[in-house]
Amino acid sequence: MRPTLSKTTYMYGMQCHKRFYLNRFHKDLANPEEEQTQAIFQTGTDVGLLAQQLFPGGVNAQGEEEWHSETTVARTAELLKNHAIIYEAAFMFNEVLCAVDILVRKGNKYYAYEVKSTNSVKEQHIEDAALQYYIVSNALQTFTPGMFEGKVIPSLAEVAILHFNKEYVRIGDIEVGKLFKPSSVIEEVEAKQAYIPKNIADFKKLIYLKNIPDIEMGPQCNKPYACNFSNYCQSLLAVEEQEEIALDQTIIVNQESWTHFSQDFQYPLFFFDFETVMYAVPEFNFSRPYQQIPFQYSLHILFEPHAKLKHNSHLGNGMADPRPDLIEQMIRDLGSSGSIITWNMSFEKGVIAKLSIDFPEYEEELMAIHSRIVDLMHPFRPKQGVVYSEAFEGSYSIKKVLPVMAPELSYSDLNIQEGGTASFMYGQMAGLEPNEREQLREDLLAYCHLDTLAMVKIWERVEGVK
Ligand code: SF4
């Protein structure tokens, strides 16, 4: 029997019936797949293979077929007879197919492990594991007891999420046993069993709909994952909703509050911004899964009011650990006095605090820098009421504030326009040809340069408005 649903399409149905339907009948309406999405999938695959090392000697139920299918299910059934450890073990029940990343038999019990490249168990992992439990435990009952050792059908005794241990610090080669941490979700999964048959029945009914379900965009479009039909759904929004309403660009500064906020700033003013990259599996010694690794900074320095602006920057080479050189230059560039102005200081402070832990030989200098950091974003928070414009639309993101405060500056002409792309591209740098690498360096430098120049212009504008 061919499967009607898979674990992936079941999860689409859990997110949004329209996504489920579009994925089944209108794949052509999906957003173009981005390189970043492919990289996330590739990370998932790589991490899955790494986790298999925790259970050596297993056999893979997936053969040449690209996706799990009835063939994988049949192959799994054969392997169950003689193998205690099976990777990608596929089962089908109630016309739903799922595969277990790692299935381990000990005596008359099976233990299922689902590998997730995250630092903890998420709600969607439990939904996903609940479906697996439903399919595997029911599918096992359809086998003949005689095919198993002991002539008894083993029960599924455990379902666990194998995620990263966020406390793991790489020193030398990756230690797989320390990198991963299993978290049992069997109790949560059992508690969800009652409603799974109904969900499956509901999703099967969707297949017979004649039209695309009429569902408006909402919080579900990004939860638990960004939906790949967002462009299509966006295009359906009524034209009048898309028309931009002219917002009042007036900037209001509460002068007393601004003076109170800025009076402690000391020249030279250092306008500072990091870019960071995260590696799921720690790439360098003294780093953890998904740790923010700073690879670049931009620094604009204003030595005194109305002085000429000076700019310094640092950018790693995409191959070696960028932190040691970055720390040394940063300590030189930032000196020992003057306020360090950031936008959303908790990020820069967090990165510097981690650097001081991982490179304790610089702890004193780094924590001195840490103590000089101030946050230019703070007065733009609506509840502070220090700097306000209707045109901020209630946001205090620099991408929203800058076009109002300094419309002459824009990210739109840059090849890299936001931090996520900068981070992703830096991760690709090592594999590029020399000329492409040079272009990327220029793009990264230009992007980060604008981040700190934006702060300077915002600062000047508020001071000028004052
Ligand atoms: S974009 Fe939102 S409304 Fe549209 S299919 Fe996806 S989740 Fe559903």
Side-chain angles (χ1 to χ4, degrees):
M1 182 191 288
R2 284 178 65 80
T4 304
L5 302 178
S6 67
K7 192 178 70 171
T8 303
T9 57
Y10 177 91
M11 293 304 286
Y12 288 166
M14 292 292 287
Q15 181 174 3
C16 171
H17 287 186
K18 191 173 178 181
R19 184 179 190 188
F20 174 96
Y21 189 92
L22 289 169
N23 178 71
R24 185 156 190 117
F25 297 111
H26 298 281
K27 279 197 169 73
D28 54 310
L29 297 177
N31 303 347
E33 196 164 291
E34 292 178 356
E35 254 186 288
Q36 275 155 280
T37 313
Q38 290 170 0
I40 291 168
F41 284 139
Q42 189 56 50
T43 298
T45 306
D46 296 345
V47 170
L49 290 173
L50 198 59
Q52 289 178 1
Q53 293 178 19
L54 287 171
F55 302 93
V59 285
N60 199 324
Q62 194 172 8
E64 296 298 308
E65 63 274 11
E66 193 180 350
W67 307 106
H68 301 116
S69 65
E70 311 96 296
T71 314
T72 332
V73 173
R75 196 179 294 117
T76 301
E78 276 304 304
L79 294 173
L80 287 172
K81 295 176 187 169
N82 300 309
H83 294 272
I85 301 174
I86 303 174
Y87 312 132
E88 304 295 334
F91 295 87
M92 191 159 70
F93 181 76
N94 194 3
E95 298 172 46
V96 188
L97 188 149
C98 79
V100 177
D101 287 334
I102 301 167
L103 186 69
V104 179
R105 194 183 72 217
K106 291 180 191 163
N108 285 332
K109 289 182 177 164
Y110 274 119
Y111 298 76
Y113 296 92
E114 194 59 16
V115 183
K116 299 292 178 191
S117 40
T118 54
N119 278 349
S120 59
V121 176
K122 313 282 183 200
E123 180 54 33
Q124 64 269 25
H125 300 160
I126 295 171
E127 293 292 352
D128 172 307
L131 177 71
Q132 279 184 325
Y133 181 89
Y134 169 78
I135 296 171
V136 176
S137 53
N138 281 297
L140 282 171
Q141 296 309 312
T142 65
F143 291 116
T144 322
M147 68 181 259
F148 296 97
E149 214 178 84
K151 314 291 180 216
V152 178
I153 298 175
S155 61
L156 182 56
E158 174 65 294
V159 179
I161 306 298
L162 257 183
H163 55 84
F164 292 129
N165 168 15
K166 63 176 189 260
E167 308 300 334
Y168 168 68
V169 180
R170 178 174 184 167
I171 299 171
D173 291 339
I174 290 288
E175 296 167 274
V176 181
K178 292 182 181 171
L179 173 65
F180 289 101
K181 182 176 170 183
S183 291
S184 173
V185 290
I186 188 77
E187 284 181 19
E188 295 92 323
V189 155
E190 283 177 340
K192 287 182 181 285
Q193 291 307 296
Y195 68 74
I196 289 180
K198 177 171 184 323
N199 285 344
I200 293 172
D202 287 348
F203 301 156
K204 285 180 181 171
K205 278 187 215 153
L206 289 175
I207 295 169
Y208 296 100
L209 288 182
K210 293 208 164 48
N211 297 308
I212 297 171
D214 185 14
I215 295 172
E216 286 184 9
M217 293 188 81
Q220 83 279 10
C221 302
N222 283 300
K223 214 172 150 198
Y225 303 109
C227 175
N228 58 335
F229 290 96
S230 57
N231 291 355
Y232 165 71
C233 288
Q234 194 79 40
S235 72
L236 298 180
L237 293 175
V239 176
E240 58 268 26
E241 278 184 49
Q242 291 184 22
E243 273 175 15
E244 286 192 10
I245 302 159
L247 295 167
D248 187 349
Q249 304 286 315
T250 309
I251 299 159
I252 299 163
V253 179
N254 180 325
Q255 295 185 14
E256 194 183 331
S257 301
W258 173 257
T259 304
H260 181 72
F261 166 75
S262 61
Q263 66 188 358
D264 295 334
F265 284 25
Q266 290 180 355
Y267 283 89
L269 299 181
F270 297 93
F271 296 86
F272 184 78
D273 181 64
F274 277 132
E275 299 303 326
T276 59
V277 62
M278 293 192 294
Y279 299 96
V281 178
E283 182 81 6
F284 308 115
N285 279 342
F286 311 112
S287 67
R288 301 154 191 77
Y290 288 112
Q291 183 173 335
Q292 303 272 11
I293 304 284
F295 63 84
Q296 174 178 19
Y297 69 75
S298 170
L299 173 65
H300 276 93
I301 310 169
L302 195 58
F303 288 94
E304 54 188 49
H306 312 295
K308 193 164 180 277
L309 209 52
K310 184 179 176 203
H311 182 251
N312 285 353
S313 62
H314 179 88
L315 175 59
N317 64 10
M319 286 169 267
D321 185 346
R323 295 172 295 174
D325 288 349
L326 179 142
I327 291 171
E328 292 210 346
Q329 189 184 332
M330 185 172 73
I331 289 170
R332 282 196 304 275
D333 282 350
L334 291 171
S336 56
S337 65
S339 296
I340 300 169
I341 299 175
T342 61
W343 195 272
N344 188 15
M345 68 178 179
S346 60
F347 178 73
E348 268 73 22
K349 282 197 162 199
V351 169
I352 289 175
K354 266 282 190 295
L355 288 175
S356 75
I357 293 169
D358 297 331
F359 297 88
E361 62 274 33
Y362 298 107
E363 183 184 358
E364 202 177 312
E365 293 102 317
L366 288 169
M367 292 318 287
I369 288 171
H370 187 275
S371 68
R372 289 161 51 205
I373 293 179
V374 292
D375 197 346
L376 184 56
M377 184 178 83
H378 185 71
F380 288 83
R381 288 178 187 270
K383 67 178 180 192
Q384 298 302 321
V386 183
V387 186
Y388 169 80
S389 172
E390 185 185 303
F392 296 160
E393 298 182 77
S395 168
Y396 44 91
S397 147
I398 199 163
K399 302 288 187 296
K400 209 72 183 169
V401 169
L402 182 66
V404 185
M405 301 297 290
E408 71 278 14
L409 290 188
S410 168
Y411 288 86
S412 61
D413 295 335
L414 301 179
N415 288 333
I416 292 175
Q417 299 179 5
E418 48 87 38
T421 309
S423 174
F424 171 73
M425 293 309 296
Y426 182 77
Q428 307 296 304
M429 190 188 259
L432 298 179
E433 296 296 326
N435 59 331
E436 294 170 325
R437 200 177 305 149
E438 199 40 50
Q439 179 62 51
L440 177 56
R441 287 187 67 82
E442 282 177 25
D443 293 342
L444 287 167
L445 289 167
Y447 169 70
C448 201
H449 177 274
L450 187 52
D451 270 348
T452 50
L453 185 60
M455 283 192 278
V456 175
K457 295 297 175 190
I458 291 169
W459 163 268
E460 287 177 347
R461 181 74 192 268
V462 183
E463 289 279 288
V465 170
K466 198 172 91 171

